[in-house]
Amino acid sequence: MNKAVVLGCNYYIGLSMIRCLGREGVHVVACDYDFETYGAKSKYICEFLKVYDLNENDEQTFLDLIEYGKKQDEKPVILPSHDKYVEFIDKYYDELEKYYLISQVRGLNTKLMDKWVLYDIAKENGVKIPTTINANDEKLVEKVKNEVGFPCIIKPVDTVKFTKVFRNKVFICNNVEEMENGIKKAKDNDIEIFIQEIVPGFDDCMLTYDYYIDKTGKTTHYMTAQKKRQWPINFGASCFAIQKYNQKLIDMSKPFLENIGYRGFGEIEFKKHEKTGEIYLIEINARTTNFNDLLYKVGLNMPYIAYLDLTGNLKDSDCKYIDYDTNYAFIYGFEDMVAIWRYKKTKQVGILKSLKISFSSKWAPAIFATYDLKPWFFFNKILLGKVFRKIFRRK
């Protein structure tokens, strides 16, 4: 049997992938530089492969993976859980392909994560995208005032690097001074950025299309969803999102992705203009999405689908499209509680209204699973340790 090598298990995305594969009887290899994390405590891990932190030595990680691949009787399926691993696979694609089965197309996923390239690809294919201006434009201030307006956002070309430095995905700018200060901070940290208009609408205007496209170019699985809460609020990752059928998203997304030659799983994030109803492409997550457990709950086991496709075992009868509302919702409990409090504090949504939304849905938790409890206990142990350390430091 082909093994499945999951790149990155120190977060709930990797944990979800491990569970999705392990519950189908696949031999799962957890690959990371640190195994003292909750994701590494899953009972579905059959084998550990320790590598280097990609930020420190990605070349040695590549050599270790090649050495591991050479020892296998059958090519393992290699699956990234993070943008950094997507870029890593693209960087060493030609050599990795000799020893591993890879779902992504050489170079495409990295291009789609580059916000400037994505902007051009979207325009070429007639997909709406918010007005975007290069931060180095000689007439930047004039163009922002006339074409974008305030407030606007500063977004990075490389989200991973920006988030690591600033612990946020964007800078919100209410005036020229804030914009210029944000640009300076980004440039001081050698981060390429651009200015983009804010599409009007609350967080529940954020919509997603999650999909799998097989190696022949056929979309075999898809689902649409609606964000309800994000962390950080307004410009962050989903901490509570509900599956919501939206045919308009499907009609926009399916031909677009097939036309650009996408392969494997991924997610497009859109935002609906609260007044006009127009839908704008915000970004593409060219990997397993953070609410993979929601997909699993509604019957779309994306990591296993990829495994079957790459090993030649995906059948036409396996195709599945969620074209109705299931009332399932993804929840990342810890961040969601913080988000609920923050929405209330900024007077955007009251706590009772947030809780009503939460308890009217069936949950797909990010970490908690009755069939695999150890990661959840380990996560809470770490969390409590941080709380106690903070209390004692104050004393």
Side-chain angles (χ1 to χ4, degrees):
M1 178 185 286
N2 307 75
K3 297 179 180 179
V5 176
V6 176
L7 298 179
C9 63
N10 64 343
Y11 199 49
Y12 62 79
I13 297 176
L15 171 62
S16 177
M17 294 169 70
I18 289 164
R19 287 169 168 169
C20 284
L21 294 160
R23 295 195 83 193
E24 297 296 334
V26 177
H27 181 108
V28 180
V29 182
C31 180
D32 214 320
Y33 63 90
D34 180 13
F35 294 120
E36 282 306 307
T37 58
Y38 64 86
K41 305 304 174 184
S42 174
K43 70 179 184 181
Y44 294 105
I45 296 174
C46 301
E47 192 177 345
F48 292 92
L49 177 60
K50 192 161 187 176
V51 293
Y52 283 81
D53 183 343
L54 295 186
N55 294 312
E56 296 176 2
N57 195 340
D58 68 342
E59 185 177 356
Q60 188 57 53
T61 295
F62 158 69
L63 293 173
D64 290 342
L65 278 167
I66 293 297
E67 190 61 31
Y68 180 81
K70 287 178 178 179
K71 296 176 182 177
Q72 308 308 309
D73 294 330
E74 301 286 344
K75 282 186 177 182
V77 172
I78 191 165
L79 301 168
S81 68
H82 189 273
D83 289 347
K84 273 292 181 186
Y85 287 112
V86 173
E87 294 173 336
F88 170 80
I89 290 174
D90 272 348
K91 182 177 179 180
Y92 296 106
Y93 195 100
D94 291 338
E95 286 301 311
L96 286 171
E97 191 181 32
K98 295 176 183 177
Y99 304 100
Y100 292 91
L101 300 173
I102 304 171
S103 64
Q104 66 195 61
V105 176
R106 181 189 289 102
L108 178 62
N109 290 28
T110 299
K111 288 180 181 178
L112 294 173
M113 291 190 300
D114 183 317
K115 301 303 186 292
W116 269 122
V117 177
L118 176 61
Y119 182 79
D120 290 336
I121 291 173
K123 286 181 69 177
E124 288 168 8
N125 287 272
V127 177
K128 284 184 175 294
I129 198 161
T131 303
T132 304
I133 299 173
N134 193 314
N136 296 318
D137 195 295
E138 292 180 359
K139 297 181 179 180
L140 177 64
V141 174
E142 180 185 337
K143 286 187 176 181
V144 169
K145 285 181 178 179
N146 295 332
E147 299 175 30
V148 176
F150 290 101
C152 61
I153 53 175
I154 293 175
K155 288 184 75 173
V157 172
D158 184 344
T159 304
V160 175
K161 186 176 180 181
F162 188 92
T163 305
K164 186 178 180 182
V165 174
F166 299 113
R167 309 305 299 171
N168 216 326
K169 293 179 76 173
V170 300
F171 288 148
I172 303 172
C173 309
N174 294 296
N175 50 54
V176 173
E177 184 181 359
E178 289 182 6
M179 181 181 73
E180 290 177 339
N181 288 337
I183 291 172
K184 184 179 184 304
K185 284 195 288 186
K187 288 186 175 179
D188 286 346
N189 286 275
D190 195 29
I191 298 174
E192 187 181 354
I193 44 95
F194 54 87
I195 316 302
Q196 193 172 77
E197 73 168 311
I198 296 175
V199 179
F202 183 59
D203 289 4
D204 60 4
C205 288
M206 295 296 299
L207 310 170
T208 70
Y209 172 79
D210 294 87
Y211 55 89
Y212 187 81
I213 301 176
D214 71 11
K215 54 190 177 184
T216 70
K218 176 186 175 184
T219 301
T220 60
H221 300 74
Y222 62 68
M223 179 199 84
T224 54
Q226 177 185 18
K227 290 187 181 183
K228 290 294 185 178
R229 292 187 289 272
Q230 305 180 99
W231 183 253
I233 64 170
N234 307 137
F235 296 95
S238 301
C239 55
F240 193 90
I242 189 166
Q243 181 275 320
K244 192 79 172 174
Y245 173 60
N246 188 321
Q247 186 61 47
K248 189 174 182 179
L249 287 191
I250 297 164
D251 293 340
M252 289 174 58
S253 307
K254 186 173 177 289
F256 167 61
L257 290 161
E258 291 177 353
N259 188 51
I260 65 174
Y262 196 97
R263 298 290 186 273
F265 41 62
E267 175 188 84
I268 306 183
E269 288 192 16
F270 295 96
K271 188 170 185 181
K272 182 177 72 173
H273 194 295
E274 65 179 356
K275 294 179 181 177
T276 67
E278 290 184 300
I279 295 175
Y280 293 80
L281 188 155
I282 302 299
E283 66 179 0
I284 294 181
N285 293 313
R287 51 164 171 78
T288 301
T289 177
N290 70 323
F291 51 76
N292 187 57
D293 275 301
L294 171 57
L295 293 162
Y296 182 73
K297 286 283 188 181
V298 302
L300 302 180
N301 187 340
M302 293 299 198
Y304 188 57
I305 291 163
Y307 179 88
L308 291 176
D309 182 33
L310 294 173
T311 56
N313 294 298
L314 187 65
K315 304 170 185 174
D316 288 340
S317 58
D318 293 327
C319 297
K320 187 171 184 178
Y321 314 111
I322 307 301
D323 54 2
Y324 57 95
D325 293 339
T326 63
N327 200 36
Y328 269 108
F330 165 79
I331 181 170
Y332 181 25
F334 170 67
E335 285 191 353
D336 193 43
M337 287 189 291
V338 179
I340 287 172
W341 174 250
R342 188 65 181 167
Y343 283 118
K344 184 260 180 188
K345 197 171 182 180
T346 54
K347 298 181 180 179
Q348 294 183 55
V349 186
I351 290 178
L352 288 179
K353 185 176 180 179
S354 291
L355 293 177
K356 184 179 179 181
I357 292 170
S358 297
F359 288 102
S360 62
S361 305
K362 297 178 285 187
W363 290 358
I367 302 172
F368 179 80
T370 54
Y371 53 82
D372 189 26
L373 285 168
K374 197 171 180 181
W376 184 76
F377 283 120
F378 195 80
F379 172 82
N380 284 286
K381 178 184 173 183
I382 295 170
L383 192 61
L384 286 171
K386 289 180 179 178
V387 171
F388 283 127
R389 284 193 295 273
K390 195 170 184 179
I391 291 171
F392 286 123
R393 273 201 302 268
R394 285 179 178 175
K395 290 182 178 180

